[in-house]
């Protein structure tokens, strides 16, 4: 039965996404206003989460919201699933997500990524890609938008330890903003390689913010340890 419910969700996701094609045309004719694009992307993401809840039985619970900084900050999260890419559009409505250019191959979703705007980088671009990431992150923060990055670079199995790519150290040093670590256990329900999506409650844990000013390696060690400790203690809740 769960496989059927998951399959029905996949069908509904395709239909729901297709419904946004006329809206894309309207926004394009209006010269793609950022506010309108972000509102549309949040509506799309909210529809996906509602569909997950009612068809798959998959929802989420937040913990530690009082730890979220008052102003724009750098958000780092472990990456286990496609789920968090969608959910962060709702959890942090105006967030600028650092995303890989490969996502531009996804129909409709890629248009929203380009116009939101998100921070799209070429992972093979070396120092040029890192410089672009820093500059666009600084611009987003100046506009009052928090910046989200998945420091592991790609989705990982729930059993793999958390290990950052090097670019996040430079981003931390150059932005000079508090860092909010967010731990997720989404991979237990919608993980890479799973044949279907499972029912349950995804845990979204906001951890103690990390102040700016640490040395790069010290920041990385502290952030990895915080997320790893939460990963190991965060057991999935069955539906």
């Amino acid at each position: 039965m769960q496989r059927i419910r998951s399959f029905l969700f996949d069908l509904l996701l395709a239909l729901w996404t297709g419904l946004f094609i006329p809206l894309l045309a309207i926004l394009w004719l209006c010269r793609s206003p950022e506010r309108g694009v972000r509102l549309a992307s949040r509506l799309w993401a909210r529809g996906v989460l509602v569909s997950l809840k009612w068809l798959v039985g998959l929802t989420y619970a937040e913990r530690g919201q009082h730890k979220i900084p008052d102003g724009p900050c750098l958000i780092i999260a472990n990456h286990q699933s496609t789920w968090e890419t969608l959910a962060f559009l709702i959890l942090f409505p105006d967030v600028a997500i650092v995303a890989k250019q490969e996502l531009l191959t996804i129909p409709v979703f890629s248009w929203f990524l380009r116009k939101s705007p998100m921070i799209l980088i070429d992972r093979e671009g070396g120092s040029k890609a890192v410089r672009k990431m820093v500059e666009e992150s600084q611009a987003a923060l100046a506009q009052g938008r928090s910046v989200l990055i998945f420091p592991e670079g790609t989705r990982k199995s729930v059993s793999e330890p958390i290990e950052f790519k090097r670019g996040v150290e430079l981003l931390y040093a150059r932005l000079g903003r508090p860092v909010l670590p967010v731990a997720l256990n989404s991979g237990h329900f919608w993980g890479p390689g799973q044949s279907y999506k499972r029912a349950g409650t995804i845990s979204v844990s906001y951890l103690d913010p990390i102040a700016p000013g640490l040395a790069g390696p010290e920041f990385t060690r502290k952030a990895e340890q915080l997320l790893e400790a939460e990963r190991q203690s965060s057991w999935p809740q069955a539906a």
Side-chain angles (χ1 to χ4, degrees):
M1 178 60 71
Q2 190 63 36
R3 290 178 183 271
I4 295 174
R5 294 171 70 183
S6 180
F7 175 71
L8 290 174
F9 165 78
D10 292 339
L11 287 179
L12 183 59
L13 175 60
L15 291 172
W16 176 244
T17 302
L19 289 175
F20 277 75
I21 293 177
L23 180 56
L24 300 190
I26 294 171
L27 289 171
W28 180 77
L29 290 172
C30 296
R31 299 187 179 182
S32 306
E34 288 184 13
R35 179 176 175 80
V37 171
R38 288 201 290 270
L39 285 172
S41 64
R42 291 199 295 272
L43 175 62
W44 175 77
R46 192 173 295 280
V48 175
L49 296 184
V50 169
S51 299
L52 276 172
K53 178 179 179 179
W54 292 109
L55 277 176
V56 179
L58 180 58
T59 185
Y60 67 94
E62 299 174 79
R63 297 186 298 172
Q65 292 99 318
H66 62 282
K67 297 179 180 179
I68 300 174
D70 292 331
C73 62
L74 175 61
I75 304 168
I76 59 172
N78 62 313
H79 198 10
Q80 296 183 348
S81 170
T82 303
W83 181 86
E84 50 262 20
T85 308
L86 312 176
F88 270 107
L89 296 175
I90 305 302
L91 300 174
F92 293 90
D94 286 329
V95 72
I97 302 176
V98 178
K100 54 190 178 184
Q101 281 190 338
E102 291 94 310
L103 294 177
L104 295 180
T105 61
I106 302 174
V108 181
F109 184 58
S110 62
W111 190 89
F112 284 118
L113 282 177
R114 288 182 185 276
K115 301 297 182 179
S116 292
M118 298 302 175
I119 301 168
L120 299 169
I121 59 170
D122 178 3
R123 291 192 297 182
E124 306 300 323
S127 59
K128 182 179 179 181
V130 173
R131 184 167 61 252
K132 178 177 182 289
M133 177 178 67
V134 170
E135 291 174 352
E136 293 190 13
S137 295
Q138 290 172 331
L141 289 167
Q143 295 170 2
R145 304 175 67 197
S146 290
V147 175
L148 165 68
I149 186 170
F150 299 108
E152 295 169 290
T154 189
R155 292 175 299 166
K156 286 191 172 183
S157 164
V158 296
S159 62
E160 292 184 74
I162 292 171
E163 185 176 354
F164 292 177
K165 302 292 185 182
R166 294 191 62 185
V168 70
E169 282 189 13
L170 179 60
L171 197 59
Y172 166 76
R174 294 288 297 275
L175 296 183
R177 296 292 184 112
V179 176
L180 176 67
V182 183
L184 307 147
N185 66 352
S186 52
H188 289 280
F189 309 96
W190 183 356
Q194 290 184 355
S195 58
Y196 62 93
K197 300 162 190 66
R198 292 164 170 79
T201 302
I202 293 171
S203 173
V204 181
S205 299
Y206 304 108
L207 309 180
D208 291 328
I210 301 173
L214 299 178
E218 183 181 359
F219 159 73
T220 297
R221 282 194 303 272
K222 184 172 184 177
E224 286 179 341
Q225 288 170 1
L226 283 170
L227 288 172
E228 180 64 18
E230 188 66 22
R231 182 190 72 83
Q232 293 186 19
S233 67
S234 180
W235 295 97
Q237 301 177 33

